[in-house]
Amino acid sequence: MAHKATSVGTLGAVVKDNETGELLLLSNNHVFANCNRAKIRDVIIQPCKADGGLKEADAFARLERFVPLKISYSTKFNSLRYKTSDFITLFMGLRNTASFKQKYGNQVDAAVARPDNQSQISLNIPEIGSVKGVAEPVEGMQVQKYGRSTGLTRGTVKYTRMDLRVHYPDGTSVWFIDQIVTSKMSEFGDSGALLLDMQNRALGLLCGGSEHVSVFSPIQTVLDLLNISLVV
């Protein structure tokens, strides 16, 4: 599931709009809003383009709102050369200053869409089941996620408040602050997947990864900035 102009992505969870009580679909900005390029009410398709989706013919939802990404630069480059040092870079030097973080630092990569037909959505995450609430990640915690490309994977939390940079396949480069980093749990196409502990409590939303790790935006921050709640 993804924006009509985005190749691929994952639906993380069904959530509730805190203002209207309506059910919405949660994923990344770069999945549902095409890195800020989309317009509200743009079509979200299922299956996504990489899986044969055909824009309006496969319309499943409409973009409702998103947290805008502060993009530090956007340039085309060969995604085949991704290495850990390229894909995830720690803040260093001036990048660790408050002014740099205020200008370029992102807390989340998140967006929600309104389904065209609520009867077609399920509250259960495949192979995991229903979400049982929200928890705080702890280093060493065992975790799980279900994504479009790799299905059910399990791993371990490495860091809970990491500052780093993520390069997206379209060449967009985005700095993130206070992200959750786990052992490698994902591949291209899993973006938007929900990170949970082994009691099915939500921890984060997958926004990037490398050869060795996966990166998740803290779920409580996602919920607060989008004014939504998890359906439990």
Side-chain angles (χ1 to χ4, degrees):
M1 179 179 294
H3 183 271
K4 61 182 181 179
T6 305
S7 63
V8 66
T10 293
L11 167 62
V14 177
V15 296
K16 181 175 67 174
D17 189 309
N18 288 340
E19 293 293 332
T20 67
E22 293 179 289
L23 295 183
L24 302 173
L25 309 178
L26 174 65
S27 189
N28 293 143
N29 175 318
H30 82 265
V31 173
F32 277 179
N34 195 23
C35 289
N36 301 342
R37 301 182 185 95
K39 297 179 180 179
I40 301 304
R41 300 292 298 165
D42 270 4
V43 170
I44 307 298
I45 59 175
Q46 171 62 25
C48 54
K49 188 163 61 174
D51 294 328
L54 298 172
K55 296 186 179 181
E56 298 292 340
D58 292 298
F60 189 87
R62 310 283 165 164
L63 179 63
E64 180 72 7
R65 58 182 177 270
F66 58 91
V67 180
L69 288 170
K70 301 174 184 177
I71 298 172
S72 55
Y73 70 83
S74 182
T75 181
K76 296 295 183 181
F77 57 90
N78 183 2
S79 62
L80 296 179
R81 71 173 179 84
Y82 282 175
K83 298 179 181 178
T84 303
S85 57
D86 296 327
F87 210 91
I88 296 177
T89 309
L90 302 183
F91 279 110
M92 298 178 66
L94 291 176
R95 292 169 180 160
N96 200 35
T97 65
S99 60
F100 183 90
K101 289 187 177 183
Q102 183 176 12
K103 184 175 181 179
Y104 293 116
N106 293 272
Q107 294 178 284
V108 303
D109 181 348
V112 286
R114 184 191 302 270
D116 290 343
N117 186 345
Q118 293 197 357
S119 67
Q120 293 182 327
I121 62 177
S122 171
L123 300 182
N124 289 328
I125 299 173
E127 299 188 51
I128 291 178
S130 60
V131 180
K132 302 300 184 183
V134 174
E136 288 291 327
V138 177
E139 291 182 11
M141 177 186 283
Q142 297 298 303
V143 290
Q144 58 184 334
K145 77 103 191 68
Y146 186 91
R148 170 261 182 197
S149 299
T150 59
L152 176 64
T153 57
R154 295 188 172 96
T156 305
V157 175
K158 290 181 172 290
Y159 307 102
T160 60
R161 293 176 63 86
M162 180 65 74
D163 297 341
L164 45 82
R165 181 173 66 184
V166 172
H167 296 297
Y168 292 127
D170 68 350
T172 300
S173 179
V174 181
W175 291 94
F176 288 96
I177 58 175
D178 295 334
Q179 300 297 285
I180 303 165
V181 177
T182 70
S183 53
K184 183 176 174 59
M185 299 175 62
S186 59
E187 295 286 355
F188 178 69
D190 288 331
S191 291
L194 193 68
L195 180 71
L196 305 104
D197 65 13
M198 302 313 292
Q199 288 75 49
N200 285 12
R201 296 176 299 181
L203 306 169
L205 193 69
L206 180 66
C207 64
S210 74
E211 297 172 357
H212 304 291
V213 299
S214 296
V215 181
F216 298 82
S217 298
I219 192 61
Q220 190 59 59
T221 308
V222 169
L223 300 177
D224 291 344
L225 292 178
L226 286 171
N227 196 24
I228 56 175
S229 300
L230 288 168
V231 180
V232 297

